[in-house]
Amino acid sequence: MKKAEKKFLKAIIGVVGILLIAIIGYQYVHTSKASSGGTAQTETQKEVAKRQKIIKENLTNYLKTVTDDGTVSVSFYNLGATSGSTAAKSKYADVYKKGELQVESNAHTAQTTASTYKLFITAYLMQQKLNGNFTWNSTNEDGFYRMIVNSENDFAEEQLQKYGMSKINKFISNQGWYSPVFQTDENATSTSYSLQLEAGTGSFSNASDRAKILKLMGKQIYRTGIPAGVAAADKGTTVADKVGFLDDTNNYAAIVTMPNGQKYILVIMTHGHNQSGFSGFPKITKIAKKVQQIVYGADAVTKLEDYSN
């Protein structure tokens, strides 16, 4: 091989070597970055799990104290943050991912529903509408208004007569809810678990109908209980709900929206203790306020609390 050729070959080998070193270095750096990113993600997931554990344990322990004597039932189901909200943009938004914090206590024991049974009537009629067997008109719009906003009974009783208890009970059972709710000459009964009727699914999947019903629930005239409690916890919190009161029974089933965009379902059923009229509502107010503080408060994820005293 001539001297010039040898010199050229050495130059080529040198260039190839430099390129190999550069490629290997590039791969090493980016592999390290990917590995580092994976570690960071794992740490975030660990923190999310830790926070969820604290919240669920605290809420579970608190609800045990308020339901211990069997006269209170509570069901909590978090719906996650509204898209684009402050809460949705949080680094630890996944702590409140829909359904991750569900907690209930004495939630599967049947209790007198009082007027919260009207949520089941509402669900049934909305299913009839989805099936093409119900249309809005001025008469039933007025009936819905009085049934939900004022908690009057006549429209709901008319629907029970029109469709029959057995048909409505069958529908309720098919949804996986406690049944029978309705029995002749007996007060309607259900559970706090079954009263967690989630807007946006099943019978409430039609957006226009859903908005109409939630608007009525937001106008419900009895604003003590859950609405008062959550507003005391965080000013500006809004509630779409159905109230129920009968003899010694005071109940609330609500969809709560906080100012930062967090949403959840809360059902509280109470009876006994010589309650009458609305005398059980202050108890519901206190429970609702504490639930929101435990799950969403500034100190919600700091430590486990003892609620036994």
Side-chain angles (χ1 to χ4, degrees):
M1 184 180 291
K2 293 181 180 179
K3 188 175 181 180
E5 289 175 339
K6 286 181 180 181
K7 192 173 182 180
F8 177 73
L9 184 59
K10 279 184 178 182
I12 292 296
I13 292 172
V15 171
V16 171
I18 291 169
L19 287 173
L20 285 172
I21 290 170
I23 291 169
I24 292 170
Y26 177 86
Q27 289 178 331
Y28 174 79
V29 169
H30 283 264
T31 300
S32 296
K33 284 185 177 180
S35 175
S36 175
T39 302
Q41 184 179 23
T42 301
E43 291 304 316
T44 299
Q45 290 172 340
K46 285 180 180 178
E47 181 63 23
V48 165
K50 176 186 173 184
R51 294 184 179 205
Q52 288 175 338
K53 183 175 184 293
I54 291 173
I55 291 170
K56 291 183 74 172
E57 284 196 32
N58 281 338
L59 185 56
T60 297
N61 292 338
Y62 170 69
L63 293 185
K64 281 181 181 178
T65 69
V66 299
T67 64
D68 187 55
D69 70 354
T71 65
V72 177
S73 300
V74 183
S75 290
F76 170 88
Y77 184 89
N78 72 300
L79 296 171
T82 304
S83 178
S85 66
T86 302
K89 296 174 183 177
S90 167
K91 178 180 179 181
Y92 296 112
D94 281 353
V95 170
Y96 298 97
K97 189 175 180 181
K98 181 180 176 181
E100 291 295 315
L101 300 173
Q102 181 177 12
V103 175
E104 54 249 346
S105 188
N106 196 34
H108 297 276
T109 302
Q111 314 284 359
T112 298
T113 63
S115 283
T116 56
Y117 81 79
K118 292 163 186 171
L119 290 175
F120 296 121
I121 298 294
T122 300
Y124 181 79
L125 292 178
M126 291 302 94
Q127 185 62 51
Q128 292 300 306
K129 186 172 185 296
L130 289 175
N131 295 342
N133 300 322
F134 176 94
T135 55
W136 290 109
N137 57 46
S138 59
T139 300
N140 59 44
E141 284 184 346
D142 175 67
F144 261 92
Y145 185 95
R146 289 183 292 103
M147 177 177 73
I148 294 177
V149 177
N150 300 334
S151 201
E152 296 175 20
N153 296 329
D154 59 326
F155 182 74
E157 296 298 326
E158 287 170 7
Q159 306 316 305
L160 282 169
Q161 289 294 321
K162 178 179 179 179
Y163 294 101
M165 289 184 180
S166 59
K167 278 188 178 181
I168 298 177
N169 280 330
K170 185 177 180 181
F171 161 77
I172 291 169
S173 178
N174 289 342
Q175 311 312 304
W177 303 330
Y178 173 89
S179 184
V181 172
F182 305 106
Q183 298 185 71
T184 304
D185 298 326
E186 293 187 22
N187 291 330
T189 57
S190 189
T191 65
S192 65
Y193 182 83
S194 291
L195 279 167
Q196 297 175 102
L197 275 61
E198 183 182 345
T201 62
S203 303
F204 299 104
S205 57
N206 180 283
S208 176
D209 294 335
R210 182 168 70 249
K212 185 187 289 285
I213 298 301
L214 288 174
K215 184 177 181 180
L216 291 175
M217 291 174 69
K219 292 180 177 180
Q220 194 271 130
I221 62 176
Y222 301 99
R223 306 312 290 172
T224 52
I226 289 177
V230 299
D234 293 276
K235 186 178 180 181
T237 300
T238 60
V239 181
D241 66 273
K242 186 68 195 75
V243 69
F245 48 92
L246 176 68
D247 300 327
D248 72 342
T249 294
N250 284 170
N251 299 334
Y252 259 96
I255 297 175
V256 180
T257 304
M258 296 177 62
N260 67 356
Q262 292 288 7
K263 295 183 71 173
Y264 64 92
I265 297 171
L266 181 62
V267 180
I268 305 174
M269 306 179 78
T270 72
H271 67 276
H273 301 286
N274 297 315
Q275 291 180 178
S276 63
F278 309 117
S279 66
F281 284 4
K283 179 192 295 184
I284 295 175
T285 300
K286 182 179 178 180
I287 294 170
K289 179 180 179 181
K290 192 64 177 178
V291 166
Q292 186 157 300
Q293 289 173 333
I294 289 172
V295 181
Y296 301 102
D299 299 324
V301 297
T302 56
K303 62 179 180 178
L304 293 175
E305 301 285 353
D306 181 7
Y307 297 102
S308 59
N309 296 323

